[in-house]
PDB file of all heavy atoms in Angstrom:
ATOM      1  N   TYR E 211     115.350 109.779  96.041  1.00  0.00           N
ATOM      2  CA  TYR E 211     115.445 109.407  94.631  1.00  0.00           C
ATOM      3  C   TYR E 211     114.220 108.594  94.207  1.00  0.00           C
ATOM      4  O   TYR E 211     113.613 108.853  93.150  1.00  0.00           O
ATOM      5  CB  TYR E 211     116.714 108.592  94.378  1.00  0.00           C
ATOM      6  CG  TYR E 211     116.801 108.042  92.977  1.00  0.00           C
ATOM      7  CD1 TYR E 211     117.188 108.843  91.909  1.00  0.00           C
ATOM      8  CD2 TYR E 211     116.471 106.713  92.716  1.00  0.00           C
ATOM      9  CE1 TYR E 211     117.251 108.343  90.615  1.00  0.00           C
ATOM     10  CE2 TYR E 211     116.525 106.203  91.426  1.00  0.00           C
ATOM     11  CZ  TYR E 211     116.922 107.017  90.386  1.00  0.00           C
ATOM     12  OH  TYR E 211     116.973 106.518  89.106  1.00  0.00           O
ATOM     13  N   ILE E 212     113.835 107.622  95.034  1.00  0.00           N
ATOM     14  CA  ILE E 212     112.691 106.770  94.680  1.00  0.00           C
ATOM     15  C   ILE E 212     111.399 107.578  94.700  1.00  0.00           C
ATOM     16  O   ILE E 212     110.519 107.387  93.857  1.00  0.00           O
ATOM     17  CB  ILE E 212     112.611 105.553  95.625  1.00  0.00           C
ATOM     18  CG1 ILE E 212     113.791 104.612  95.348  1.00  0.00           C
ATOM     19  CG2 ILE E 212     111.289 104.802  95.443  1.00  0.00           C
ATOM     20  CD1 ILE E 212     113.848 103.384  96.218  1.00  0.00           C
ATOM     21  N   GLU E 213     111.260 108.509  95.635  1.00  0.00           N
ATOM     22  CA  GLU E 213     110.058 109.342  95.674  1.00  0.00           C
ATOM     23  C   GLU E 213     109.961 110.231  94.433  1.00  0.00           C
ATOM     24  O   GLU E 213     108.880 110.416  93.869  1.00  0.00           O
ATOM     25  CB  GLU E 213     110.039 110.172  96.951  1.00  0.00           C
ATOM     26  CG  GLU E 213     109.726 109.326  98.186  1.00  0.00           C
ATOM     27  CD  GLU E 213     109.879 110.086  99.493  1.00  0.00           C
ATOM     28  OE1 GLU E 213     109.976 111.337  99.452  1.00  0.00           O
ATOM     29  OE2 GLU E 213     109.912 109.445 100.554  1.00  0.00           O
ATOM     30  N   ASP E 214     111.101 110.777  93.996  1.00  0.00           N
ATOM     31  CA  ASP E 214     111.109 111.563  92.750  1.00  0.00           C
ATOM     32  C   ASP E 214     110.764 110.679  91.554  1.00  0.00           C
ATOM     33  O   ASP E 214     109.991 111.074  90.664  1.00  0.00           O
ATOM     34  CB  ASP E 214     112.482 112.215  92.535  1.00  0.00           C
ATOM     35  CG  ASP E 214     112.743 113.353  93.506  1.00  0.00           C
ATOM     36  OD1 ASP E 214     111.770 113.860  94.104  1.00  0.00           O
ATOM     37  OD2 ASP E 214     113.916 113.728  93.673  1.00  0.00           O
ATOM     38  N   PHE E 215     111.354 109.478  91.529  1.00  0.00           N
ATOM     39  CA  PHE E 215     111.093 108.532  90.444  1.00  0.00           C
ATOM     40  C   PHE E 215     109.612 108.149  90.432  1.00  0.00           C
ATOM     41  O   PHE E 215     108.994 108.028  89.365  1.00  0.00           O
ATOM     42  CB  PHE E 215     111.953 107.279  90.630  1.00  0.00           C
ATOM     43  CG  PHE E 215     111.917 106.329  89.472  1.00  0.00           C
ATOM     44  CD1 PHE E 215     112.894 106.364  88.496  1.00  0.00           C
ATOM     45  CD2 PHE E 215     110.899 105.389  89.356  1.00  0.00           C
ATOM     46  CE1 PHE E 215     112.864 105.495  87.424  1.00  0.00           C
ATOM     47  CE2 PHE E 215     110.842 104.516  88.285  1.00  0.00           C
ATOM     48  CZ  PHE E 215     111.838 104.562  87.316  1.00  0.00           C
ATOM     49  N   GLN E 216     109.044 107.996  91.629  1.00  0.00           N
ATOM     50  CA  GLN E 216     107.637 107.619  91.764  1.00  0.00           C
ATOM     51  C   GLN E 216     106.712 108.642  91.109  1.00  0.00           C
ATOM     52  O   GLN E 216     105.765 108.278  90.404  1.00  0.00           O
ATOM     53  CB  GLN E 216     107.307 107.471  93.250  1.00  0.00           C
ATOM     54  CG  GLN E 216     105.906 107.013  93.576  1.00  0.00           C
ATOM     55  CD  GLN E 216     105.692 106.949  95.067  1.00  0.00           C
ATOM     56  OE1 GLN E 216     106.060 107.863  95.801  1.00  0.00           O
ATOM     57  NE2 GLN E 216     105.112 105.861  95.538  1.00  0.00           N
ATOM     58  N   HIS E 217     107.003 109.933  91.312  1.00  0.00           N
ATOM     59  CA  HIS E 217     106.174 110.987  90.729  1.00  0.00           C
ATOM     60  C   HIS E 217     106.198 110.933  89.205  1.00  0.00           C
ATOM     61  O   HIS E 217     105.183 111.198  88.546  1.00  0.00           O
ATOM     62  CB  HIS E 217     106.643 112.361  91.212  1.00  0.00           C
ATOM     63  CG  HIS E 217     106.407 112.598  92.672  1.00  0.00           C
ATOM     64  ND1 HIS E 217     105.200 112.343  93.283  1.00  0.00           N
ATOM     65  CD2 HIS E 217     107.231 113.058  93.654  1.00  0.00           C
ATOM     66  CE1 HIS E 217     105.285 112.638  94.568  1.00  0.00           C
ATOM     67  NE2 HIS E 217     106.500 113.068  94.816  1.00  0.00           N
ATOM     68  N   LYS E 218     107.349 110.570  88.640  1.00  0.00           N
ATOM     69  CA  LYS E 218     107.466 110.477  87.185  1.00  0.00           C
ATOM     70  C   LYS E 218     106.838 109.183  86.656  1.00  0.00           C
ATOM     71  O   LYS E 218     106.286 109.156  85.550  1.00  0.00           O
ATOM     72  CB  LYS E 218     108.934 110.542  86.773  1.00  0.00           C
ATOM     73  CG  LYS E 218     109.617 111.845  87.157  1.00  0.00           C
ATOM     74  CD  LYS E 218     111.123 111.751  86.919  1.00  0.00           C
ATOM     75  CE  LYS E 218     111.845 112.977  87.459  1.00  0.00           C
ATOM     76  NZ  LYS E 218     113.319 112.842  87.384  1.00  0.00           N
ATOM     77  N   PHE E 219     106.951 108.117  87.451  1.00  0.00           N
ATOM     78  CA  PHE E 219     106.481 106.800  87.008  1.00  0.00           C
ATOM     79  C   PHE E 219     104.958 106.685  87.074  1.00  0.00           C
ATOM     80  O   PHE E 219     104.324 106.143  86.164  1.00  0.00           O
ATOM     81  CB  PHE E 219     107.122 105.710  87.871  1.00  0.00           C
ATOM     82  CG  PHE E 219     106.669 104.317  87.545  1.00  0.00           C
ATOM     83  CD1 PHE E 219     107.251 103.607  86.503  1.00  0.00           C
ATOM     84  CD2 PHE E 219     105.650 103.700  88.276  1.00  0.00           C
ATOM     85  CE1 PHE E 219     106.832 102.320  86.197  1.00  0.00           C
ATOM     86  CE2 PHE E 219     105.220 102.424  87.976  1.00  0.00           C
ATOM     87  CZ  PHE E 219     105.822 101.731  86.931  1.00  0.00           C
ATOM     88  N   ASN E 220     104.361 107.181  88.158  1.00  0.00           N
ATOM     89  CA  ASN E 220     102.918 107.036  88.346  1.00  0.00           C
ATOM     90  C   ASN E 220     102.150 107.651  87.178  1.00  0.00           C
ATOM     91  O   ASN E 220     102.503 108.718  86.685  1.00  0.00           O
ATOM     92  CB  ASN E 220     102.475 107.676  89.656  1.00  0.00           C
ATOM     93  CG  ASN E 220     102.946 106.889  90.869  1.00  0.00           C
ATOM     94  OD1 ASN E 220     103.524 105.817  90.752  1.00  0.00           O
ATOM     95  ND2 ASN E 220     102.693 107.417  92.048  1.00  0.00           N
ATOM     96  N   LYS E 221     101.090 106.967  86.781  1.00  0.00           N
ATOM     97  CA  LYS E 221     100.343 107.376  85.584  1.00  0.00           C
ATOM     98  C   LYS E 221      98.861 107.077  85.785  1.00  0.00           C
ATOM     99  O   LYS E 221      98.498 106.008  86.279  1.00  0.00           O
ATOM    100  CB  LYS E 221     100.874 106.599  84.372  1.00  0.00           C
ATOM    101  CG  LYS E 221     100.215 106.917  83.045  1.00  0.00           C
ATOM    102  CD  LYS E 221     100.849 106.040  81.965  1.00  0.00           C
ATOM    103  CE  LYS E 221     100.204 106.272  80.602  1.00  0.00           C
ATOM    104  NZ  LYS E 221     100.772 105.372  79.577  1.00  0.00           N
ATOM    105  N   GLY E 222      98.008 108.017  85.405  1.00  0.00           N
ATOM    106  CA  GLY E 222      96.570 107.802  85.481  1.00  0.00           C
ATOM    107  C   GLY E 222      96.006 108.076  86.868  1.00  0.00           C
ATOM    108  O   GLY E 222      96.655 107.816  87.874  1.00  0.00           O
ATOM    109  N   LYS E 223      94.797 108.595  86.896  1.00  0.00           N
ATOM    110  CA  LYS E 223      94.156 108.904  88.175  1.00  0.00           C
ATOM    111  C   LYS E 223      93.410 107.703  88.725  1.00  0.00           C
ATOM    112  O   LYS E 223      93.472 107.397  89.912  1.00  0.00           O
ATOM    113  CB  LYS E 223      93.198 110.082  87.995  1.00  0.00           C
ATOM    114  CG  LYS E 223      92.727 110.687  89.304  1.00  0.00           C
ATOM    115  CD  LYS E 223      91.963 111.985  89.073  1.00  0.00           C
ATOM    116  CE  LYS E 223      91.567 112.611  90.408  1.00  0.00           C
ATOM    117  NZ  LYS E 223      90.820 113.890  90.214  1.00  0.00           N
ATOM    118  N   TYR E 224      92.693 107.005  87.851  1.00  0.00           N
ATOM    119  CA  TYR E 224      91.927 105.824  88.261  1.00  0.00           C
ATOM    120  C   TYR E 224      92.199 104.689  87.288  1.00  0.00           C
ATOM    121  O   TYR E 224      92.403 104.912  86.091  1.00  0.00           O
ATOM    122  CB  TYR E 224      90.420 106.110  88.273  1.00  0.00           C
ATOM    123  CG  TYR E 224      90.018 107.243  89.182  1.00  0.00           C
ATOM    124  CD1 TYR E 224      89.616 108.469  88.654  1.00  0.00           C
ATOM    125  CD2 TYR E 224      90.034 107.088  90.564  1.00  0.00           C
ATOM    126  CE1 TYR E 224      89.238 109.516  89.480  1.00  0.00           C
ATOM    127  CE2 TYR E 224      89.663 108.121  91.399  1.00  0.00           C
ATOM    128  CZ  TYR E 224      89.266 109.340  90.860  1.00  0.00           C
ATOM    129  OH  TYR E 224      88.912 110.364  91.683  1.00  0.00           O
ATOM    130  N   LYS E 225      92.163 103.478  87.812  1.00  0.00           N
ATOM    131  CA  LYS E 225      92.290 102.311  86.942  1.00  0.00           C
ATOM    132  C   LYS E 225      90.935 102.034  86.286  1.00  0.00           C
ATOM    133  O   LYS E 225      89.886 102.186  86.916  1.00  0.00           O
ATOM    134  CB  LYS E 225      92.731 101.106  87.775  1.00  0.00           C
ATOM    135  CG  LYS E 225      93.094  99.883  86.938  1.00  0.00           C
ATOM    136  CD  LYS E 225      93.518  98.717  87.805  1.00  0.00           C
ATOM    137  CE  LYS E 225      94.926  98.899  88.323  1.00  0.00           C
ATOM    138  NZ  LYS E 225      95.447  97.681  88.968  1.00  0.00           N
ATOM    139  N   ALA E 226      90.966 101.636  85.027  1.00  0.00           N
ATOM    140  CA  ALA E 226      89.723 101.357  84.293  1.00  0.00           C
ATOM    141  C   ALA E 226      88.972 100.192  84.926  1.00  0.00           C
ATOM    142  O   ALA E 226      89.567  99.283  85.513  1.00  0.00           O
ATOM    143  CB  ALA E 226      90.047 101.044  82.837  1.00  0.00           C
ATOM    144  N   GLU E 227      87.628 100.230  84.784  1.00  0.00           N
ATOM    145  CA  GLU E 227      86.815  99.151  85.323  1.00  0.00           C
ATOM    146  C   GLU E 227      87.069  97.852  84.557  1.00  0.00           C
ATOM    147  O   GLU E 227      87.278  97.863  83.335  1.00  0.00           O
ATOM    148  CB  GLU E 227      85.330  99.501  85.235  1.00  0.00           C
ATOM    149  CG  GLU E 227      84.860 100.497  86.274  1.00  0.00           C
ATOM    150  CD  GLU E 227      83.341 100.631  86.264  1.00  0.00           C
ATOM    151  OE1 GLU E 227      82.834 101.293  85.352  1.00  0.00           O
ATOM    152  OE2 GLU E 227      82.703 100.071  87.161  1.00  0.00           O
ATOM    153  N   ASN E 228      87.006  96.729  85.268  1.00  0.00           N
ATOM    154  CA  ASN E 228      87.097  95.414  84.637  1.00  0.00           C
ATOM    155  C   ASN E 228      85.723  95.070  84.068  1.00  0.00           C
ATOM    156  O   ASN E 228      84.735  94.977  84.798  1.00  0.00           O
ATOM    157  CB  ASN E 228      87.511  94.373  85.695  1.00  0.00           C
ATOM    158  CG  ASN E 228      87.779  93.008  85.081  1.00  0.00           C
ATOM    159  OD1 ASN E 228      87.233  92.663  84.039  1.00  0.00           O
ATOM    160  ND2 ASN E 228      88.596  92.232  85.751  1.00  0.00           N
ATOM    161  N   LEU E 229      85.634  94.885  82.736  1.00  0.00           N
ATOM    162  CA  LEU E 229      84.339  94.645  82.097  1.00  0.00           C
ATOM    163  C   LEU E 229      83.682  93.369  82.586  1.00  0.00           C
ATOM    164  O   LEU E 229      82.452  93.298  82.740  1.00  0.00           O
ATOM    165  CB  LEU E 229      84.512  94.610  80.574  1.00  0.00           C
ATOM    166  CG  LEU E 229      84.916  95.943  79.923  1.00  0.00           C
ATOM    167  CD1 LEU E 229      85.078  95.782  78.419  1.00  0.00           C
ATOM    168  CD2 LEU E 229      83.889  97.035  80.234  1.00  0.00           C
ATOM    169  N   ASP E 230      84.499  92.324  82.852  1.00  0.00           N
ATOM    170  CA  ASP E 230      83.930  91.055  83.352  1.00  0.00           C
ATOM    171  C   ASP E 230      83.292  91.269  84.720  1.00  0.00           C
ATOM    172  O   ASP E 230      82.200  90.753  84.992  1.00  0.00           O
ATOM    173  CB  ASP E 230      85.021  89.987  83.454  1.00  0.00           C
ATOM    174  CG  ASP E 230      85.496  89.533  82.086  1.00  0.00           C
ATOM    175  OD1 ASP E 230      84.725  89.670  81.115  1.00  0.00           O
ATOM    176  OD2 ASP E 230      86.638  89.050  81.989  1.00  0.00           O
ATOM    177  N   TYR E 231      83.990  92.022  85.580  1.00  0.00           N
ATOM    178  CA  TYR E 231      83.448  92.321  86.911  1.00  0.00           C
ATOM    179  C   TYR E 231      82.149  93.125  86.776  1.00  0.00           C
ATOM    180  O   TYR E 231      81.153  92.861  87.461  1.00  0.00           O
ATOM    181  CB  TYR E 231      84.476  93.096  87.720  1.00  0.00           C
ATOM    182  CG  TYR E 231      84.036  93.441  89.138  1.00  0.00           C
ATOM    183  CD1 TYR E 231      84.350  92.608  90.209  1.00  0.00           C
ATOM    184  CD2 TYR E 231      83.302  94.606  89.392  1.00  0.00           C
ATOM    185  CE1 TYR E 231      83.948  92.924  91.499  1.00  0.00           C
ATOM    186  CE2 TYR E 231      82.892  94.933  90.670  1.00  0.00           C
ATOM    187  CZ  TYR E 231      83.224  94.091  91.724  1.00  0.00           C
ATOM    188  OH  TYR E 231      82.817  94.400  93.000  1.00  0.00           O
ATOM    189  N   LYS E 232      82.164  94.102  85.878  1.00  0.00           N
ATOM    190  CA  LYS E 232      81.001  94.978  85.688  1.00  0.00           C
ATOM    191  C   LYS E 232      79.788  94.180  85.220  1.00  0.00           C
ATOM    192  O   LYS E 232      78.651  94.394  85.690  1.00  0.00           O
ATOM    193  CB  LYS E 232      81.366  96.054  84.664  1.00  0.00           C
ATOM    194  CG  LYS E 232      80.336  97.163  84.528  1.00  0.00           C
ATOM    195  CD  LYS E 232      80.849  98.232  83.568  1.00  0.00           C
ATOM    196  CE  LYS E 232      79.818  99.365  83.431  1.00  0.00           C
ATOM    197  NZ  LYS E 232      80.303 100.416  82.505  1.00  0.00           N
ATOM    198  N   LYS E 233      80.012  93.215  84.294  1.00  0.00           N
ATOM    199  CA  LYS E 233      78.915  92.387  83.783  1.00  0.00           C
ATOM    200  C   LYS E 233      78.329  91.502  84.872  1.00  0.00           C
ATOM    201  O   LYS E 233      77.107  91.358  85.001  1.00  0.00           O
ATOM    202  CB  LYS E 233      79.414  91.528  82.625  1.00  0.00           C
ATOM    203  CG  LYS E 233      79.700  92.305  81.354  1.00  0.00           C
ATOM    204  CD  LYS E 233      80.306  91.393  80.284  1.00  0.00           C
ATOM    205  CE  LYS E 233      80.674  92.181  79.024  1.00  0.00           C
ATOM    206  NZ  LYS E 233      81.326  91.305  78.020  1.00  0.00           N
ATOM    207  N   LEU E 234      79.216  90.891  85.696  1.00  0.00           N
ATOM    208  CA  LEU E 234      78.745  90.009  86.764  1.00  0.00           C
ATOM    209  C   LEU E 234      77.997  90.801  87.837  1.00  0.00           C
ATOM    210  O   LEU E 234      77.007  90.321  88.397  1.00  0.00           O
ATOM    211  CB  LEU E 234      79.934  89.265  87.379  1.00  0.00           C
ATOM    212  CG  LEU E 234      80.551  88.182  86.493  1.00  0.00           C
ATOM    213  CD1 LEU E 234      81.907  87.748  87.047  1.00  0.00           C
ATOM    214  CD2 LEU E 234      79.602  86.977  86.394  1.00  0.00           C
ATOM    215  N   HIS E 235      78.489  92.020  88.118  1.00  0.00           N
ATOM    216  CA  HIS E 235      77.807  92.865  89.091  1.00  0.00           C
ATOM    217  C   HIS E 235      76.417  93.251  88.580  1.00  0.00           C
ATOM    218  O   HIS E 235      75.426  93.201  89.338  1.00  0.00           O
ATOM    219  CB  HIS E 235      78.630  94.125  89.354  1.00  0.00           C
ATOM    220  CG  HIS E 235      77.975  95.076  90.319  1.00  0.00           C
ATOM    221  ND1 HIS E 235      77.873  94.808  91.669  1.00  0.00           N
ATOM    222  CD2 HIS E 235      77.373  96.289  90.128  1.00  0.00           C
ATOM    223  CE1 HIS E 235      77.238  95.811  92.267  1.00  0.00           C
ATOM    224  NE2 HIS E 235      76.930  96.715  91.355  1.00  0.00           N
ATOM    225  N   ALA E 236      76.347  93.617  87.301  1.00  0.00           N
ATOM    226  CA  ALA E 236      75.056  93.998  86.709  1.00  0.00           C
ATOM    227  C   ALA E 236      74.091  92.807  86.721  1.00  0.00           C
ATOM    228  O   ALA E 236      72.887  92.968  86.985  1.00  0.00           O
ATOM    229  CB  ALA E 236      75.267  94.500  85.285  1.00  0.00           C
ATOM    230  N   LYS E 237      74.618  91.599  86.462  1.00  0.00           N
ATOM    231  CA  LYS E 237      73.782  90.393  86.464  1.00  0.00           C
ATOM    232  C   LYS E 237      73.199  90.129  87.842  1.00  0.00           C
ATOM    233  O   LYS E 237      71.998  89.837  87.979  1.00  0.00           O
ATOM    234  CB  LYS E 237      74.610  89.195  85.995  1.00  0.00           C
ATOM    235  CG  LYS E 237      73.817  87.897  85.940  1.00  0.00           C
ATOM    236  CD  LYS E 237      74.690  86.740  85.459  1.00  0.00           C
ATOM    237  CE  LYS E 237      73.893  85.435  85.423  1.00  0.00           C
ATOM    238  NZ  LYS E 237      74.743  84.294  84.971  1.00  0.00           N
ATOM    239  N   SER E 238      74.029  90.243  88.875  1.00  0.00           N
ATOM    240  CA  SER E 238      73.546  90.000  90.240  1.00  0.00           C
ATOM    241  C   SER E 238      72.487  91.034  90.636  1.00  0.00           C
ATOM    242  O   SER E 238      71.503  90.701  91.309  1.00  0.00           O
ATOM    243  CB  SER E 238      74.709  90.010  91.236  1.00  0.00           C
ATOM    244  OG  SER E 238      75.274  91.306  91.348  1.00  0.00           O
TER     245      SER E 238
END
């Protein structure tokens, strides 16, 4: 039941980048 629920619940292929992290990485 939980595995079936998981397939319906999961959403999106990748999580969006964190802009703050991206800015600090670019700065370094």
Side-chain angles (χ1 to χ4, degrees):
Y211 174 79
I212 291 179
E213 287 172 14
D214 288 342
F215 188 96
Q216 183 182 46
H217 292 312
K218 298 171 187 173
F219 178 83
N220 289 355
K221 181 181 178 183
K223 193 171 183 180
Y224 302 108
K225 189 180 283 190
E227 284 189 284
N228 186 333
L229 293 179
D230 290 336
Y231 181 93
K232 189 176 180 180
K233 289 175 183 177
L234 288 166
H235 178 72
K237 181 180 179 181
S238 67

